[in-house]
Amino acid sequence: MNIKFGLKKATIVLTAALLSVNMSAKAGAVYDYIKANNELMIATDANWAPFSYIDDDGVMQGFDVEVGREIAKRMGVEARFITPDWDVITAGNWNMRWDVSVGSMTPTASRSEVLNFPAVYYYTPAAFAVHTDSPVTTLAGLNGKTICTTAASTWEMYLQGNLDMLDAPAFTYDVTPGTITSLKDGSMCADDTRLGAGVRNDGFIDSVPMIQGAIEAGYPIRFLGDPAFHEPLSLATDLGNDDPELDAELARIIAEMQSDYSLSLLSIQHFKNADGSSEDYTVAY
Amino acid sequence: MMDTKTNIPNNTEMTPVISLKGVSKWYGDFQALSNIDLEIKLKEKIVICGPSGSGKSTLIRCLNRLEAHQEGTIHVSGIELHERMKDIDVVRQDIGMVFQSFNLFPHLTVLENCMAGPNWVRGVDKSKAKERAIAMLEQVKIPEQADKYPEQLSGGQQQRVAIARSLCMQPKVMLFDEPTSALDPEMVAEVLDTMIELAKSGMTMICVTHEMGFARQVADRIVFMADGEIVEQNSPEEFFNNPQHERTKVFLDQILK
Amino acid sequence: MFVDTVIEDKALHKPAFLIGLSLTVLAIFFALNFTNSLFGEFLRPVIGDPTESGFFGRFAVSLVLTIIFVLNLFAISFFKLKVQVAIVWLELFLLFLAFAYSFDLKMSFIQSRIPLMITRGLFTTIYISAISIVLATVIAIIGAIAKLSNNGFAYAISSFYTSLFRGLPLLLQLFLIYKGLPQLGFMVDAVPAAITALSLCYGAYMTEIFRAGIQSIPRGQWEASRALGFKFNLILRKIILPQAVPIIIPPTGNQFIAMLKDSSLASVLGVWELMYLARTLGQRDFRHMEMLLTAAMIYWALTIVLEVIQARIEEKYKQKS
């Protein structure tokens, strides 16, 4: 995040803007820059274990982070992580601050207006969780209740009834919440839910592995019913700096990681169930 | 003592150092000075007096252009004071001014107050400026207070420091704007003594004051003002013994009672 | 405040006040209901199971708390002022510790994260704040002089600037700079964007402080300086600003303290400063309170350091004048 670095990029953005009439970068500009600078800037969350988090030594860890490192390695460049807020990433218009999002982003129609989705790399179920003392036993029991979720997430879209996922398994809207509480991240929802059923919310929706982690950490919460829907999770690049060459390279690397099972291996390493078994989320439903 | 060049050309005793012709000044609709004509020669001592609100302070503050006049002309040693002039600071360096409320710099010691002018604007080096400051403090008889801050001094001492501070600039003219009005009665004399000494040394002085004893003793000429006009000017003898105007008589009756 | 020479009787030593106070405190404690807290546990031998003690238990707990509270005040009232201050500080601090203790904190967790909080988080926070403080001060001096000048452009620009940047929430400014400048072709990363926003925002507040400070110097100082033939720059530098500084210091110190804490807004841009790490480091183990309280203590300690520095500088100027 040094200034010199920013200036260099600014020059490229500026040059690109001057050269091309439609204000988008010349094809291949981002990928060329990555190669020239020998560095892949990866945007991801730092607040979403076990997908991505900061360990005790201040190093980024987690499934998404490992995938990001592997992509950079196969590209032949260094990986560097940057951790802006989730809604800043999904809003697009990155101005080349980072090159790719390896942050478990579900492709949706609305997001595809500002972002490209070069490769889906795994699939997770999303589920509702409630306090262990909650009287609610079925998903329908949450109708009209207060549900918490992460702002600008697919779970929020699900609660709002406007989840426009691309290439996703069919699903139904099983819950019609009375009030939606959208917070910065899912762990804040979990913190609210553990205060008691109906205290700040009646439950929250997040990815199954995240809820699993909270339960293991001793949170008094439980899964409610079956997963609400399954979402494909993809890499994302900036449509504003459209670079087919970069997208093709990312797609090639993910396909390669799927065929040599390195992606499955990472999933098994990171996603453990309470009974000690592991999950391979990289297989499509 | 004249080790630095002065900015105002030397005058002979006959030519005026300061001359005003038809000077008028307004504050909004209120006319503070109307049609003032006045000439002051080198080494002359002028006392300006008059009831409060008569414009005497305004007049003296126009002489170094702390106030702007709107009509007429003011010349200081042949240089006209006007709003577009480039070198007002150069003219001001040669005109010392002593204020009713002293206006010493509270964050500087007495010595630093006196050294500031010569050192910062005249370009006198520090040791020389200090030498001169001490000499001037001796002249006003408070060299022992040199390292104190102004607020540690009495009013009379502060006013003497203010005089010394002006003298350090080696001015050609000294302006005094009611220098004793803010003082406790017992301190008036020490300041007036200093001013009398200064007058004896031949300084050109213009004093706005109500101290008629001082005026009688020192002034070459007394200027009496009322309602922004010069009502009469005369030698002290004539002024006190044979006032020409009714307003002058009323003023003298009140002040000498 | 300036204390009168006549000492009034202590309110606490008047029976009527003591009774009124006791009843009020009793009512408050009763309304807040501490029966199910630690205090209820202490009184278990008297009231039995706190959850089933009902009205009697609630009243008994409130009464005991009230007696402790009022006796404490009454006892403290007999000490000298300095001792009173020390005792009350200590008691409030112990209450704060009890508050923190009630979260069942895991100390080993805090210990393992503190090095990162300090080397990375605190360092970044201080780094951002320090640069912003210097820049804001420079902006404020220029802004104040421009605002006091007769130059129409300077006045218009500076008054527009203070109006705009005091009129927008800091977070909004941060986003305008972070997202807006790249659209104009100026690429700013998160840290420079945060520094720019903090400097501009606090520069605007401090412009007003500096302007007021400069204006509070009596007109006579300008006149005396001019009468000696000083030019504008010299008057400002040697006469006005040195006198304005002691007046400016207390409100400026306040601004510095506020800025130190507002630097936490950089966390929304993903800068790994103190607040960001406080929110993030507890995440994997779902131990958020540990990290938040640790960050709270670090911010507080930093603020106390700044307060001490400010007091020292004020003292220095007091001695000089």
Side-chain angles (χ1 to χ4, degrees), chain C residues 113-181:
Chain C
R113 263 76 175 175
I114 261 196
L116 186 62
M117 291 273 269
I118 288 176
T119 55
R120 187 81 199 252
L122 180 60
F123 176 79
T124 312
T125 291
I126 290 180
Y127 162 77
I128 290 176
S129 310
I131 296 181
S132 304
I133 282 167
V134 172
L135 290 179
T137 308
V138 173
I139 291 173
I141 292 175
I142 297 171
I145 293 169
K147 219 168 176 185
L148 292 171
S149 80
N150 289 325
N151 185 311
F153 291 108
Y155 178 80
I157 292 170
S158 62
S159 56
F160 182 83
Y161 158 69
T162 50
S163 172
L164 181 69
F165 281 86
R166 290 200 305 167
L168 302 185
L170 181 51
L171 187 59
L172 182 62
Q173 294 176 28
L174 191 60
F175 277 125
L176 283 181
I177 290 166
Y178 184 70
K179 294 181 184 224
L181 284 186

Side-chain angles (χ1 to χ4, degrees), chain A residues 46 49 56 83 93 97 191, chain C residues 113 178 183 187 272 280 283 288:
Chain A
D56 299 356
T83 55
N93 207 355
R97 283 192 172 99
D191 276 347
Chain C
R113 263 76 175 175
Y178 184 70
Q183 311 264 354
M187 179 66 196
W272 288 16
T280 311
Q283 214 278 324
H288 302 123

Side-chain angles (χ1 to χ4, degrees), chain C residues 72-104:
Chain C
N72 180 38
L73 284 191
F74 193 66
I76 292 173
S77 71
F78 287 100
F79 287 100
K80 279 182 186 160
L81 184 77
K82 276 192 178 168
V83 185
Q84 283 179 341
V85 172
I87 294 176
V88 174
W89 255 85
L90 188 70
E91 287 183 350
L92 290 175
F93 187 70
L94 288 176
L95 273 181
F96 180 78
L97 282 187
F99 169 73
Y101 179 77
S102 68
F103 291 110
D104 184 26

Side-chain angles (χ1 to χ4, degrees), chain B residues 113-133:
Chain B
N113 263 279
C114 294
M115 288 166 62
N119 187 222
W120 295 344
V121 287
R122 287 254 205 237
V124 178
D125 69 55
K126 270 210 166 143
S127 59
K128 264 239 169 100
K130 186 175 177 184
E131 215 172 275
R132 188 190 295 173

Side-chain angles (χ1 to χ4, degrees), chain B residues 106-177:
Chain B
H107 60 302
L108 301 178
T109 62
V110 166
L111 191 64
E112 287 165 342
N113 263 279
C114 294
M115 288 166 62
N119 187 222
W120 295 344
V121 287
R122 287 254 205 237
V124 178
D125 69 55
K126 270 210 166 143
S127 59
K128 264 239 169 100
K130 186 175 177 184
E131 215 172 275
R132 188 190 295 173
I134 290 172
M136 291 304 154
L137 288 172
E138 272 164 4
Q139 188 176 326
V140 300
K141 301 192 177 67
I142 39 173
E144 72 282 0
Q145 312 286 6
D147 293 324
K148 288 192 179 164
Y149 283 93
E151 67 166 23
Q152 295 168 292
L153 306 185
S154 73
Q157 289 172 324
Q158 287 193 49
Q159 195 60 297
R160 284 186 284 153
V161 172
I163 295 171
R165 177 175 71 175
S166 286
L167 292 177
C168 282
M169 290 294 284
Q170 299 180 329
K172 306 206 103 185
V173 182
M174 284 288 287
L175 309 178
F176 292 86
D177 185 5

Side-chain angles (χ1 to χ4, degrees), chain C residues 35-37 40-44 47-54 57-58:
Chain C
T35 320
N36 295 325
S37 71
E41 283 301 316
F42 282 138
L43 287 182
R44 187 181 277 271
I47 61 173
D49 184 359
T51 49
E52 284 162 20
S53 58
R58 187 167 170 177

Side-chain angles (χ1 to χ4, degrees), chain A residues 31-82:
Chain A
Y31 188 53
D32 289 349
Y33 181 79
I34 294 165
K35 292 298 254 184
N37 212 43
N38 195 31
E39 192 173 70
L40 180 66
M41 277 289 256
I42 302 166
T44 194
D45 204 323
N47 223 3
W48 203 43
F51 303 97
S52 47
Y53 57 90
I54 303 171
D55 73 6
D56 299 356
D57 301 322
V59 181
M60 296 290 300
Q61 299 295 357
F63 175 72
D64 280 343
V65 174
E66 292 299 330
V67 171
R69 285 207 180 103
E70 191 62 26
I71 290 172
K73 195 171 142 197
R74 294 186 187 214
M75 228 178 237
V77 298
E78 297 289 318
R80 218 172 119 176
F81 293 92
I82 182 169

